[in-house]
């Protein structure tokens, strides 16, 4: 059974700091990995999707890497802003299209 | 990206009533739709997978007679919570999958969620 772990569970940083969120998964047989953002009481916003054949994806200030063999992914956020405050979820897709989510990292960026 | 809508966005009902939640893919055909549940401060847990025209596949521990799923077309899936009780209060999110407009296989697109409160 696939398990996804995210570290840290919560993170508080001052505005402008660069930060890294970590995600690990137990079964390396994945099709892709996605990072999502969730604001309180809201749905999910897809940030980056990395296919299993890729090693990283970039969008603006966000960069996600994937090391499939070691079962790890990182989300790097550059020059953090208060608007980046949210819960960041990592999810992997395995067989049958099923997504398995981590519990998320609650990020607070202080002005 | 592809757009998935959910209706209603929130619902409050009395214990014992049934509630139907709709999930629609607006600009693509979704061969597979998923239903998730999220309790406060918890992550999303997959409840069931539905393929158009066939019965849904439920995850372990999810009562199929309580959570009825219908996926009658490639753009619509419904989740009915039958005889809802306060412990069913949760945030329900659907996703729709297939081949995205960018050609990515297996990408899922999520609806905005439905907040269910059972009194």
């Amino acid at each position: 059974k696939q398990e996804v772990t995210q570290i840290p569970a919560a993170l508080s940083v001052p505005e402008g700091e660069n930060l890294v969120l970590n995600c690990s998964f137990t079964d390396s047989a994945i099709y892709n990995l996605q990072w999502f953002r969730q604001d309180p009481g809201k749905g999910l916003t897809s940030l980056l999707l990395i296919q299993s054949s890729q090693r990283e994806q970039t969008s603006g200030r966000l960069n996600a890497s994937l090391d499939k063999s070691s079962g790890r992914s990182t989300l790097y956020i550059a020059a953090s802003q208060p608007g980046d405050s949210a819960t960041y979820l990592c999810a992997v897709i395995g067989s049958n299209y099923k997504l398995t989510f981590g519990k998320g990292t609650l990020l607070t960026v202080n002005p | 990206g592809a757009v998935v809508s959910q209706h209603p966005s929130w619902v409050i009902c009395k214990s014992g009533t049934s509630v139907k939640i709709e999930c629609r893919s607006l600009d693509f055909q979704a061969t597979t739709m998923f239903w998730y549940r999220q309790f406060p401060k918890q992550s999303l847990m997959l409840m069931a997978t539905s393929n158009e025209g066939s019965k849904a596949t439920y995850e372990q521990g999810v009562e199929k007679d309580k959570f009825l799923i219908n996926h009658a077309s490639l753009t619509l899936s419904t989740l009915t919570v039958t005889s809802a009780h306060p412990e069913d209060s949760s945030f329900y999110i659907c996703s729709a999958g297939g081949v995205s407009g960018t050609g990515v296989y297996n990408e899922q697109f999520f609806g905005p969620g439905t907040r269910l409160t059972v009194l």
Side-chain angles (χ1 to χ4, degrees):
Chain A
K1 179 184 175 184
Q2 179 74 271
E3 293 184 2
V4 179
T5 303
Q6 290 187 244
I7 296 173
L11 181 63
S12 182
V13 300
E15 181 177 4
E17 192 163 299
N18 302 324
L19 56 100
V20 175
L21 308 181
N22 297 291
C23 172
S24 62
F25 47 96
T26 55
D27 185 351
S28 61
I30 64 171
Y31 286 113
N32 57 44
L33 181 146
Q34 251 176 305
W35 283 93
F36 295 88
R37 168 187 173 138
Q38 185 175 33
D39 293 288
K42 302 293 185 182
L44 303 181
T45 300
S46 179
L47 298 174
L48 290 164
L49 181 148
I50 310 176
Q51 298 187 61
S52 61
S53 59
Q54 298 174 325
R55 293 194 65 84
E56 67 176 339
Q57 281 285 334
T58 298
S59 176
R61 294 183 292 108
L62 305 179
N63 176 275
S65 68
L66 173 63
D67 185 342
K68 185 179 170 183
S69 60
S70 68
R72 295 179 182 179
S73 176
T74 60
L75 178 67
Y76 175 81
I77 302 177
S80 58
Q81 303 171 357
D84 294 332
S85 298
T87 296
Y88 290 80
L89 296 168
C90 167
V92 297
I93 282 187
S95 60
N96 299 322
Y97 294 76
K98 291 185 179 182
L99 266 175
T100 303
F101 283 85
K103 291 186 177 181
T105 293
L106 175 61
L107 172 65
T108 303
V109 181
N110 301 301
Chain B
V3 179
V4 176
S5 69
Q6 274 185 247
H7 178 80
S9 56
W10 59 269
V11 58
I12 301 173
C13 68
K14 293 182 179 180
S15 183
T17 60
S18 294
V19 175
K20 180 186 284 187
I21 303 170
E22 292 186 349
C23 176
R24 293 182 184 272
S25 58
L26 299 184
D27 52 2
F28 70 105
Q29 293 185 326
T31 54
T32 307
M33 287 185 170
F34 303 85
W35 287 95
Y36 296 84
R37 181 168 52 183
Q38 185 179 35
F39 291 108
K41 298 187 178 181
Q42 298 293 316
S43 190
L44 280 75
M45 295 299 294
L46 179 65
M47 298 175 66
T49 304
S50 73
N51 294 295
E52 185 266 337
S54 62
K55 290 183 178 180
T57 303
Y58 291 81
E59 295 299 300
Q60 192 172 11
V62 178
E63 300 174 57
K64 63 179 181 180
D65 294 329
K66 180 170 186 62
F67 299 98
L68 302 179
I69 292 172
N70 182 278
H71 191 165
S73 76
L74 287 172
T75 59
L76 173 64
S77 176
T78 60
L79 167 69
T80 301
V81 183
T82 62
S83 187
H85 291 282
E87 58 266 29
D88 298 323
S89 298
S90 187
F91 193 53
Y92 292 86
I93 305 178
C94 72
S95 72
V99 179
S100 73
T102 56
V104 175
Y105 184 70
N106 278 339
E107 184 170 6
Q108 292 184 28
F109 300 93
F110 283 79
T114 297
R115 173 75 58 191
L116 171 62
T117 302
V118 184
L119 303 177

